[in-house]
Amino acid sequence: MAQLWGGRFTRQTDQLVYDFNASIRFDQRFYKQDIEGSRAHAKMLEKQGILTQEEGRQIQEGLDSILRDVEEGKLKITSEYEDIHSFVEANLIRRIGDAGKKLHTGRSRNDQVALDMKLYVRDEIAAVDEELKSLLTTLLTLMKENLHTFMPGFTHLQKAQPVTLAHHLGAYFEMFKRDRQRLKDIRKRMNLCPLGSGALAGTTYPLDREYTACLLGFDGPTLNSMDSVSDRDYLIEFLSALAMIMMHLSRFCEEIITWNTNEYHFVEIDDAYSTGSSIMPQKKNPDIAELVRGKTGRVYGALMQMLTTMKGLPLAYNKDMQEDKELAFDAMDTTKGCIALFEGMLRTMKFHPDVMAGSAVHGFTNATDAADYLVGKGVPFRDAHGIIGRMVLYCLDKNCALDDLSLDEFRKFSPAFDEGIYDAISLKTCVDRRLTIGAPGPEAMRRACDAEQEWLETFNILDK
Ligand code: ARG
């Protein structure tokens, strides 16, 4: 048991208590952030004359060597230490002696862990953003390739009006774009440095908090030391953003699973992203899409856990807050993994444009356009709606599409019909004429793609 405390204790910690209390098993993840924070703290202590130059130099070298040895596998992080902070400090003292004992001057593990977690979350925000960027790049490529790939658009999962694959994919582009913007907002709000807040009430040492904040890439120091050590809002915001990303992925997966069924056959998931059955030789299952959909619950769980853990905590630090790590880390790993897998599945998926277009034709997705045609001939819309409704019933009985009716049949329902009706309700016309901003018409979509392209090229999570 290597602990940073013990002076006021007369008996050893019970082994079960030690294990229950220790966090090294999971906080070893941020060894790099812990060392980075310690380096900044030591540099500031030296600048303020709290450490001599020589002590400062020894500490920097010692911390560097610990980082190097951990990364090269020469120094193992073991459960002999209570947490990652104890591990780093104990090893520093072992390597450089007395100077190492001065590192913790004017610092507490409370502001230290608050800093480590912030640095870790900041890195994770950047990593998730990168994954989203490559997903958006793939999406935009597919959109540009499918400006003329007609398909039915649905409401209530019933065929509604014709759209294009580009348009359908473009809806997801918007969602993941907002996700990146959300991450940027969170990063901006959280980017204040808690280091120097001490256990809860700051410190009497003349620390330069502006300086450490600047060294660590923060916009400045936090303004209340009690809040600094007990704030996990940024983590809850991040988990909420991850939950939202998973919700978007899950909806997309649900659609792909449906599109991949024998009945729809809009797409075929690549063999590399499908699995088989141990008993049914014909099966090719969309397990990856199902798993991404399934793992959404797990990320929601992490968000709920964190909200619940925090809800009853009095100020300032409480050990409950150590529970901010395991499920949160899992949520970050899960989300990043799911975005990457999903991107691969999407990129390798085969679309069946003929099936999609056929489905649009045979779903009366042009019924609104047929009614609009009559309106153009002077029939009031409510009457036109009724006429086309009766024609749909007639077609259902004949098992055909509106497009299949002869002009005589059209005219039986209304004398306002003439030859022009066929062109007016063709799938191509129905889609091409939808040209309002945000609509599926290929010309409108091309402009939207250009705007998305420009956004993708210029968006940077680090910009102010
Ligand atoms: N392992 C602790 C955590 O993750 C570090 C802070 C410990 N501070 C304390 N006063 N016990 O929250």
Side-chain angles (χ1 to χ4, degrees):
M1 294 183 200
Q3 292 162 324
L4 294 173
W5 42 272
R8 64 100 67 212
F9 287 77
T10 53
R11 281 194 296 133
Q12 274 272 314
T13 318
D14 181 275
Q15 186 61 48
L16 279 179
V17 172
Y18 181 84
D19 294 341
F20 187 65
N21 191 51
S23 53
I24 189 89
R25 185 170 47 80
F26 42 88
D27 66 15
Q28 57 175 282
R29 243 185 211 253
F30 44 57
Y31 69 89
K32 210 186 293 167
Q33 287 80 4
D34 195 75
I35 292 174
E36 192 190 349
S38 289
R39 282 172 48 102
H41 183 63
K43 207 164 164 197
M44 180 276 296
L45 291 178
E46 183 189 329
K47 180 177 91 68
Q48 298 302 92
I50 301 166
L51 293 177
T52 65
Q53 270 192 358
E54 176 53 21
E55 288 165 340
R57 189 191 58 78
Q58 287 182 22
I59 290 176
Q60 298 300 336
E61 279 182 19
L63 289 171
D64 275 352
S65 73
I66 292 172
L67 180 61
R68 202 177 332 113
D69 290 353
V70 169
E71 303 217 300
E72 289 173 4
K74 286 190 204 145
L75 178 60
K76 293 262 174 289
I77 304 175
T78 64
S79 58
E80 174 194 341
Y81 304 91
E82 181 186 340
D83 53 29
I84 191 62
H85 325 299
S86 319
F87 166 83
V88 174
E89 193 174 319
N91 277 283
L92 184 68
I93 294 169
R94 192 169 301 142
R95 289 179 182 208
I96 67 166
D98 280 349
K101 294 184 184 165
K102 297 190 177 181
L103 170 64
H104 210 53
T105 311
R107 189 175 70 171
S108 156
R109 276 186 297 167
N110 296 352
D111 60 343
Q112 193 176 354
V113 78
L115 171 70
D116 291 1
M117 194 62 176
K118 266 197 169 175
L119 291 174
Y120 190 83
V121 166
R122 214 172 60 178
D123 290 345
E124 286 294 304
I125 286 179
V128 174
D129 183 63
E130 270 306 306
E131 295 292 352
L132 286 175
K133 184 177 181 182
S134 70
L135 173 56
L136 285 173
T137 306
T138 299
L139 264 173
L140 190 56
T141 305
L142 287 171
M143 285 159 66
K144 287 177 182 166
E145 289 168 4
N146 288 286
L147 292 171
H148 300 276
T149 307
F150 303 132
M151 66 180 286
F154 298 83
T155 62
H156 314 272
L157 209 51
Q158 303 280 324
K159 293 176 194 177
Q161 288 176 342
V163 295
T164 63
L165 180 56
H167 192 243
H168 198 117
L169 297 176
Y172 286 101
F173 189 100
E174 291 299 308
M175 294 180 224
F176 295 119
K177 175 177 166 187
R178 285 195 295 272
D179 288 329
R180 290 187 73 194
Q181 292 166 331
R182 203 173 346 265
L183 290 175
K184 183 172 174 173
D185 292 344
I186 296 168
R187 190 193 187 284
K188 196 166 151 210
R189 194 166 23 258
M190 71 170 279
N191 203 30
L192 296 171
C193 184
L195 191 62
S197 297
L200 78 162
T203 158
T204 54
Y205 294 100
L207 305 188
D208 185 346
R209 293 195 57 209
E210 305 263 4
Y211 181 66
T212 35
C214 173
L215 286 178
L216 292 164
F218 286 101
D219 296 329
T222 51
L223 289 186
N224 182 292
S225 59
M226 288 179 82
D227 177 57
S228 306
V229 293
S230 58
D231 166 34
R232 295 295 181 273
D233 290 4
Y234 65 91
L235 178 61
I236 293 174
E237 284 192 49
F238 184 40
L239 290 173
S240 148
L242 296 182
M244 187 95 77
I245 293 168
M246 289 302 295
M247 180 267 283
H248 293 153
L249 284 177
S250 186
R251 291 182 74 175
F252 210 161
C253 283
E254 170 74 16
E255 297 208 293
I256 288 173
I257 292 162
T258 311
W259 292 354
N260 189 61
T261 55
N262 297 333
E263 289 72 18
Y264 271 73
H265 201 55
F266 282 8
V267 301
E268 183 169 345
I269 299 176
D270 194 78
D271 280 4
Y273 286 86
S274 310
T275 50
S277 157
S278 60
I279 175 171
M280 299 167 281
Q282 86 283 11
K283 292 278 271 181
K284 187 173 144 186
N285 296 326
D287 289 31
I288 300 310
E290 289 168 359
L291 266 175
V292 171
R293 187 177 60 182
K295 283 178 192 290
T296 304
R298 195 166 155 152
V299 176
Y300 288 5
L303 171 63
M304 284 308 130
Q305 177 252 326
M306 203 53 218
L307 282 167
T308 312
T309 297
M310 294 302 290
K311 77 179 263 294
L313 298 190
L315 292 177
Y317 180 83
N318 298 270
K319 198 56 176 265
D320 315 46
M321 290 166 66
Q322 179 166 288
E323 287 295 312
D324 66 352
K325 298 178 188 61
E326 283 170 286
L327 295 194
F329 290 157
D330 181 76
M332 298 173 205
D333 294 346
T334 301
T335 308
K336 280 186 297 183
C338 285
I339 304 170
L341 271 166
F342 186 89
E343 188 277 329
M345 179 176 72
L346 187 66
R347 184 166 31 79
T348 53
M349 206 161 74
K350 212 164 109 214
F351 292 94
H352 295 145
D354 294 348
V355 183
M356 288 179 162
S359 169
V361 170
H362 292 285
F364 300 103
T365 59
N366 54 1
T368 314
D369 297 82
D372 288 344
Y373 171 88
L374 288 178
V375 171
K377 299 283 176 193
V379 181
F381 181 76
R382 192 49 59 213
D383 292 340
H385 188 287
I387 293 166
I388 304 298
R390 285 190 291 281
M391 292 184 69
V392 166
L393 209 56
Y394 176 79
C395 288
L396 282 171
D397 197 42
K398 280 189 64 177
N399 194 19
C400 70
L402 286 172
D403 317 56
D404 298 330
L405 300 180
S406 67
L407 190 56
D408 281 349
E409 285 174 300
F410 270 109
R411 283 175 174 285
K412 260 192 231 138
F413 287 91
S414 166
F417 284 116
D418 64 33
E419 271 299 334
I421 180 64
Y422 295 104
D423 182 53
I425 63 168
S426 81
L427 196 50
K428 185 166 160 28
T429 310
C430 292
V431 176
D432 286 358
R433 288 181 52 207
R434 299 188 129 75
L435 289 172
T436 43
I437 294 175
E443 269 321 304
M445 262 319 284
R446 201 188 309 280
R447 281 194 293 277
C449 285
D450 288 345
E452 306 292 28
Q453 177 75 48
E454 176 165 348
W455 179 84
L456 203 49
E457 280 166 17
T458 51
F459 180 83
N460 186 336
I461 196 151
L462 300 179
D463 286 347
K464 293 273 170 254

